[in-house]
Amino acid sequence: MSRNPYVREVSPTTWFFRMPRYMRYMAREVTSIFIGIFTVIMLVGLARLSEGQVEYENFLAALRSPVSLVFLLLALAFALYNSFTWFNVAPKAMPIQVGEELMPDMVVAGSHYVLWVILSVFVLFWAGVF
Amino acid sequence: MMDVQLAERQAELEVLRYNPEIAGEPKFERYSVPCKTEWCVLDALNYLKDNVDPTLTYRWSCHMQVCGSCGMMINGEPKLACKAMLRDYPGVIRIEPLAHFPVERDLVAVADDFIAKLKRVKPYLIPSDKRSLEEGEYRQTPAQLKRYRQFAMCINCMLCYAACPEYGLHPKFIGPAAISLAHRYNRDSRDGGRDERQEELATNEGVWECTFVGACSEVCPKHVDPAAALQQVKVASTVDWYLEHFMSWVKK
Amino acid sequence: MAKSNKPIIWGTFAAGGEVVSLITPVIIVLILFAAIGRPPSALGYEQLHAFAAWWFGKLVIFGIVFLSLWSQAHRLRITCFDFGLRADGLVATVFYVLAGAASLWLILILSSI
Ligand code: SF4
Ligand code: FES
């Protein structure tokens, strides 16, 4: 009997619409656009800082434009999404075995969340927000 | 003995049909099948084949989620037909062969690619020190068993391949199950074959095609968590890379 | 088949992913305060300059920005492919060259503070 397999092509540009889990994955990947741009903003801020007080104050003033405000809010939302997705899967890469049992994923992910909260509160405190 | 009365349900199935001997694309056929509410999708297909259309082609064997042969797309999700219960599918049930594989006939996917990849990663014990028969068995503690046990649960059903978009986009990718099985032996205390397997795993077509979508682990019926195996292989391969390169610099 | 050289970038992606996940949200919050006209004291010129002039402060800033650059460059490369841009070699070169240039700039900036 001759074989004649039928090949179904995967669309390289629209495949992620097929399943909600693919959309969630793409949302995670897209965080890199926002975090990437934010990293560049940090770099520019540092450059202005190195140039002197006036330049740096101008940088701070430029942050107050509506475009920048909207961007920062979006960046925060995507950065938070990235953090959640990262912490939730962190246990997978590093299985920890204590005695006979493997540590449940919850414990490893949970400790990431705890560390995250402590670090964030510390930074806010150090920066003088409180 | 008393007969247990199960409720009846007329299930509406849409089944993708493909006949390789007739030119043309696969097409959906609609069937109305008298079922019991406690049946699984495989039961409905069996009824269809026995009573309506004996040419309907699909794979199955165990009817109890161990042989791994009845994988198919059910309402767009890769599922074992013997594990997908009709009661979880109230509406029309759309059944297609596993995504990302060529279609052999009807619901049968061509598995050749997966089988070839499985062979390449040497998913069997390569003992680190060979023992003669007189020396007795290879011993292992329960803790050593637990290191890899979850990855040994794979039944080669290929659902993870049908879920993995990266496999769909790069068909050369060795893929979730084969890499997880290689990892299962890498983590086995009796095994010494990791270097050989790394020749396949640490390549661009190997673990590095994975972008950690995580779909494989979501669909795996045996909770193998292939995504975890692949991330662990990445970490280990990264450590290898840095060691190999820095060591050769240090030696120079 | 030859072994991949992706580990060199993936190492920074893994480390960067961890650092970005832990620290970036709170940095954005700090900048947001500045954006609504109430910059926290650490973002004042004097304080931030003093922090960046301190060796440890430099190290922290360098670590965060460097890892952030490389991890996001790597993920951007993959994102392009996932959206259907098949010229992976070209995309990778562009993003890694940008990340490299930005890293150099970062070193220049920090050494001039
Ligand atoms: S890893 Fe899970 S989904 Fe993949 S072939 Fe094995 S049992 Fe099936
Ligand atoms: S028939 Fe064996 S797994 Fe479904």
Side-chain angles (χ1 to χ4, degrees):
Chain A
M1 199 185 71
S2 67
R3 294 177 70 178
N4 181 21
Y6 184 84
V7 176
R8 297 160 292 173
E9 293 293 338
V10 175
S11 156
T13 47
T14 58
W15 60 270
F16 44 89
F17 291 115
R18 209 185 85 210
M19 277 188 202
R21 70 164 66 89
Y22 295 167
M23 293 293 277
R24 289 200 296 277
Y25 161 74
M26 286 306 255
R28 185 191 84 189
E29 296 306 283
V30 161
T31 61
S32 63
I33 299 175
F34 291 86
I35 300 175
I37 295 175
F38 179 73
T39 308
V40 173
I41 295 178
M42 285 201 287
L43 254 179
V44 171
L46 286 169
R48 298 292 163 267
L49 181 76
S50 72
E51 286 159 12
Q53 180 146 16
V54 184
E55 286 80 359
Y56 182 67
E57 301 288 344
N58 286 341
F59 167 74
L60 286 186
L63 286 178
R64 299 176 64 168
S65 78
V67 178
S68 132
L69 199 63
V70 170
F71 171 79
L72 287 172
L73 284 171
L74 278 174
L76 180 60
F78 278 98
L80 287 172
Y81 185 68
N82 170 64
S83 299
F84 294 144
T85 55
W86 188 274
F87 299 148
N88 291 344
V89 300
K92 297 200 185 278
M94 285 278 170
I96 301 168
Q97 198 171 17
V98 186
E100 202 171 298
E101 296 305 321
L102 285 158
M103 196 106 85
D105 284 5
M106 282 287 294
V107 178
V108 184
S111 49
H112 268 86
Y113 278 101
V114 170
L115 179 65
W116 180 51
V117 170
I118 293 176
L119 200 67
S120 301
V121 171
F122 168 78
V123 170
L124 289 174
F125 191 75
W126 165 85
V129 172
F130 299 132
Chain B
M1 220 175 74
M2 217 169 61
D3 243 359
V4 183
Q5 285 296 311
L6 295 172
E8 309 272 341
R9 163 181 169 194
Q10 198 68 23
E12 300 297 317
L13 305 188
E14 260 177 23
V15 183
L16 197 70
R17 303 296 306 265
Y18 172 65
N19 183 346
E21 285 140 50
I22 298 171
E25 294 192 351
K27 281 195 191 61
F28 279 103
E29 289 282 348
R30 178 87 176 233
Y31 304 94
S32 186
V33 186
C35 298
K36 307 282 183 201
T37 46
E38 291 312 300
W39 279 8
C40 58
V41 171
L42 180 60
D43 294 323
L45 289 174
N46 284 345
Y47 182 95
L48 206 54
K49 188 173 174 75
D50 292 346
N51 299 286
V52 182
D53 185 349
T55 68
L56 179 66
T57 309
Y58 51 95
R59 288 197 185 103
W60 72 285
S61 170
C62 70
H63 196 284
M64 50 190 277
Q65 303 136 47
V66 294
C67 74
S69 49
C70 67
M72 48 190 81
M73 305 301 283
I74 301 182
N75 285 355
E77 274 278 308
K79 292 276 181 193
L80 295 179
C82 66
K83 201 183 180 195
M85 303 307 290
L86 287 182
R87 67 178 112 89
D88 297 325
Y89 299 88
V92 177
I93 308 171
R94 214 167 221 258
I95 308 171
E96 299 159 74
L98 283 178
H100 303 151
F101 294 100
V103 187
E104 188 80 64
R105 177 190 289 264
D106 294 344
L107 298 174
V108 174
V110 180
D112 304 6
D113 181 53
F114 170 63
I115 304 298
K117 283 168 178 167
L118 203 53
K119 280 195 187 138
R120 270 166 62 193
V121 302
K122 309 192 176 175
Y124 41 80
L125 204 68
I126 303 175
S128 43
D129 56 325
K130 273 221 185 328
R131 297 163 75 95
S132 66
L133 223 49
E134 297 77 57
E135 286 171 288
E137 61 278 82
Y138 295 92
R139 283 166 182 267
Q140 194 164 54
T141 66
Q144 286 170 329
L145 169 69
K146 284 223 167 91
R147 266 172 64 78
Y148 67 81
R149 190 170 183 278
Q150 137 195 23
F151 304 121
M153 293 291 125
C154 174
I155 57 172
N156 299 352
C157 66
M158 311 193 295
L159 297 196
C160 49
Y161 285 75
C164 175
E166 297 303 325
Y167 176 61
L169 296 168
H170 316 256
K172 287 198 148 121
F173 175 31
I174 295 177
I179 295 178
S180 303
L181 278 165
H183 187 57
R184 169 249 177 278
Y185 288 96
N186 287 345
R187 280 177 76 80
D188 191 318
S189 56
R190 303 162 294 184
D191 185 87
R194 180 164 177 272
D195 287 347
E196 291 175 45
R197 295 187 197 102
Q198 280 299 92
E199 294 299 322
E200 297 289 343
L201 262 52
T203 64
N204 284 334
E205 295 178 3
V207 73
W208 295 110
E209 210 67 273
C210 166
T211 61
F212 204 170
V213 180
C216 50
S217 296
E218 288 176 31
V219 303
C220 175
K222 291 289 160 185
H223 308 289
V224 171
D225 203 350
L230 271 78
Q231 303 328 299
Q232 292 165 22
V233 172
K234 283 185 200 171
V235 171
S237 306
T238 301
V239 172
D240 284 353
W241 193 95
Y242 281 106
L243 281 181
E244 272 167 32
H245 288 79
F246 286 121
M247 283 311 172
S248 60
W249 288 335
V250 170
K251 276 187 201 133
K252 264 179 202 164
Chain C
M1 189 183 305
K3 285 196 184 169
S4 173
N5 284 321
K6 279 193 187 168
I8 189 167
I9 307 285
W10 194 80
T12 65
F13 170 74
E18 185 74 24
V19 167
V20 164
S21 301
L22 284 171
I23 205 79
T24 303
V26 71
I27 300 182
I28 301 181
V29 168
L30 293 184
I31 306 267
L32 260 170
F33 273 105
I36 57 168
R38 300 185 43 205
S41 59
L43 288 188
Y45 177 76
E46 302 284 325
Q47 284 90 332
L48 195 58
H49 197 277
F51 182 70
W54 178 34
W55 69 269
F56 183 72
K58 272 198 205 334
L59 202 70
V60 170
I61 295 175
F62 179 79
I64 293 173
V65 179
F66 177 82
L67 288 176
S68 186
L69 280 169
W70 284 94
S71 62
Q72 302 312 303
H74 182 64
R75 193 170 254 181
L76 277 166
R77 166 193 180 180
I78 289 165
T79 306
C80 285
F81 187 91
D82 287 338
F83 274 114
L85 211 59
R86 284 295 172 92
D88 185 52
L90 180 69
V91 171
T93 313
V94 168
F95 282 125
Y96 296 155
V97 165
L98 282 176
S103 307
L104 271 180
W105 193 32
L106 173 67
I107 292 171
L108 289 178
I109 294 169
L110 285 177
S111 56
S112 73
I113 293 182

